[in-house]
Amino acid sequence: MKLRSKDGDLPQKLFTLMFFGLMILACFWVVQPFILGFAWAGMVVIATWGLMLRIQKMLWGRRSLAVLAMTLILLLVFILPISLLISSVLENSGPVIAWLSSGHIEIPQMEWLHNVPYIGDRLSDSYHKMITGGGTAMMARIQPYIGRTTSFFVAQAGHFGRLMVHLALMLLFSILLYWRGERVGQGIRHFAYRLAGRRGDAVVLLAGQAIRAVALGVVVTALLQGVVGGIGLAISGIPYATILTVVMILCCLIQIGPLLVLVPAIIWLYWSGDTTWGTVLLVWSCVVATMDSFVRPMLIRLGADLPMLIILSGVIGGLVAFGMIGLFIGPVVLAVSYRLVSVWMHEAPEPHDDPDLVVEELLEDARKTAEQERQARQEPLA
């Protein structure tokens, strides 16, 4: 018996869609543990692909040597520092919490206030009256909140372990993508072209530009500012400089800036009476704080210009949604979406008519339509 397929066979179409839907869900379920690591590797490879090609030319055109060199670069510049920072945070978090919760925090006397010209004596008298009258009670109220805040951040240590797993997966997938990058890129472009023709191919290219812009203009700038600021903290003798460097990098990623860490460190040095290193760190902080004004534009020109609101929303939303790795994935997702929507909008010309004239024409059309409907209702009665 030979069955004939009919175009209007609704059950056949439904079962076909169900089958493909189940296959997609099954594939997603299988690769789910590797999605974030592969996405991270894709961002790293796209951002550093040009560097890999230059290294390949220097190494007599050998792809294997270039992949080995890029692997060592990722280990030394990216993975090893992050691993050391995470290890330092986990090792030093206990003493920090114990110190903050011990109740031995004392308000400094700030004797150097006397040396301030013209108003030094008045400032010193006012400050000592404040700490004598209510300083102890004030610190007693603040300490529980300090302990709770630090406990919250340390409670996120589980995310660090997951981050290490994603780092390992990122390194593995990066090696594979460096080795077969052209083939993978052509496959993605072919799939996009099959879906949406030339527009789909353009979408893939725009996504690559957005990824490169975020990786170079945001992540690299934040790492540079954090590392340079951390060097200044270590040279100045600030305790727990490694942990503060991690905090500074996070602040730079979310576009708050390094001064949130550097300014309290400068104040602490002056409070301790070490005015020399306090001044050195002050000058160093001015350099670090202004780095993004010339480093970020120089790097972001290599990708695509993106609004800072998109980057800030992506970093915060990615951190909430995916944990530590979301600091990198969140802004990329929003940047790619922004670029695609922007290109789609600019396919049509911008409106240049007077807004008041547009509103008047719209109201006039509405009045004409209402009048026509009223006449149409009255004609049958006539």
Side-chain angles (χ1 to χ4, degrees):
M1 183 177 180
K2 191 174 182 180
L3 297 177
R4 294 183 178 179
S5 175
K6 298 181 180 179
D7 294 337
D9 193 351
L10 182 59
Q12 179 187 7
K13 295 181 179 179
L14 290 177
F15 281 116
T16 302
L17 290 175
M18 289 176 59
F19 173 77
F20 281 109
L22 289 175
M23 290 298 296
I24 293 173
L25 289 176
C27 293
F28 179 78
W29 194 8
V30 172
V31 302
Q32 183 181 5
F34 311 103
I35 290 177
L36 291 180
F38 185 80
W40 201 355
M43 289 185 293
V44 172
V45 171
I46 290 174
T48 59
W49 184 255
L51 176 62
M52 195 276 294
L53 292 180
R54 286 193 290 270
I55 292 177
Q56 182 177 340
K57 290 181 179 179
M58 296 171 58
L59 297 176
W60 310 283
R62 298 284 298 275
R63 176 58 61 90
S64 58
L65 295 178
V67 172
L68 179 61
M70 291 303 300
T71 304
L72 294 176
I73 290 175
L74 290 180
L75 283 172
L76 295 176
V77 177
F78 195 71
I79 296 179
L80 187 60
I82 292 179
S83 302
L84 292 176
L85 291 176
I86 292 175
S87 176
S88 177
V89 169
L90 295 178
E91 290 177 0
N92 297 322
S93 58
V96 172
I97 292 180
W99 176 69
L100 290 172
S101 305
S102 61
H104 298 298
I105 303 176
E106 297 181 358
I107 299 179
Q109 297 298 316
M110 293 180 62
E111 299 294 341
W112 58 271
L113 285 175
H114 288 288
N115 299 327
V116 177
Y118 301 110
I119 59 173
D121 294 335
R122 185 178 302 175
L123 283 176
S124 180
D125 293 340
S126 301
Y127 177 75
H128 283 85
K129 287 180 181 178
M130 181 185 69
I131 63 175
T132 302
T136 305
M138 180 178 64
M139 290 303 298
R141 293 182 180 180
I142 292 177
Q143 274 183 350
Y145 297 99
I146 297 177
R148 293 175 189 173
T149 304
T150 50
S151 300
F152 168 78
F153 283 105
V154 176
Q156 309 299 316
H159 294 297
F160 292 144
R162 187 172 62 179
L163 179 62
M164 295 301 297
V165 174
H166 289 308
L167 277 174
L169 291 175
M170 184 270 288
L171 181 62
L172 175 61
F173 287 131
S174 296
I175 295 173
L176 298 176
L177 290 175
Y178 281 132
W179 186 259
R180 289 289 183 264
E182 292 89 353
R183 184 178 299 178
V184 174
Q186 187 64 26
I188 295 174
R189 291 184 62 184
H190 189 189
F191 180 77
Y193 190 86
R194 181 64 181 85
L195 285 179
R198 292 175 58 87
R199 180 175 294 181
D201 189 20
V203 164
V204 174
L205 299 177
L206 289 172
Q209 292 181 0
I211 291 173
R212 191 175 296 110
V214 172
L216 296 178
V218 179
V219 179
V220 174
T221 304
L223 290 176
L224 285 176
Q225 281 188 287
V227 171
V228 175
I231 293 173
L233 294 176
I235 293 175
S236 303
I238 300 295
Y240 304 106
T242 307
I243 297 179
L244 294 177
T245 301
V246 177
V247 176
M248 194 157 30
I249 292 175
L250 296 179
C251 291
C252 294
L253 281 173
I254 62 177
Q255 309 305 310
I256 295 178
L259 294 181
L260 190 65
V261 176
L262 293 174
V263 170
I266 295 170
I267 295 175
W268 184 81
L269 286 174
Y270 279 109
W271 279 355
S272 303
D274 197 350
T275 56
T276 301
W277 283 112
T279 305
V280 171
L281 186 59
L282 176 62
V283 177
W284 191 277
S285 301
C286 294
V287 176
V288 174
T290 57
M291 281 180 61
D292 60 340
S293 61
F294 59 89
V295 173
R296 181 183 290 123
M298 181 180 63
L299 293 175
I300 211 167
R301 285 195 203 100
L302 302 177
D305 196 8
L306 299 171
M308 198 56 61
L309 180 61
I310 295 292
I311 296 173
L312 180 61
S313 302
V315 168
I316 297 176
L319 179 63
V320 174
F322 302 108
M324 296 295 294
I325 193 175
L327 291 171
F328 306 94
I329 293 181
V332 167
V333 172
L334 290 187
V336 171
S337 302
Y338 170 79
R339 289 289 294 166
L340 299 182
V341 173
S342 177
V343 170
W344 173 75
M345 288 175 56
H346 285 84
E347 289 181 354
E350 295 184 3
H352 297 287
D353 297 333
D354 186 14
D356 296 333
L357 182 60
V358 172
V359 173
E360 290 179 2
E361 291 179 354
L362 182 63
L363 294 177
E364 183 65 25
D365 291 340
R367 284 194 293 267
K368 289 181 179 179
T369 302
E371 182 66 23
Q372 291 175 359
E373 292 179 353
R374 186 177 63 82
Q375 294 177 358
R377 287 194 301 267
Q378 291 177 354
E379 286 179 357
L381 297 178

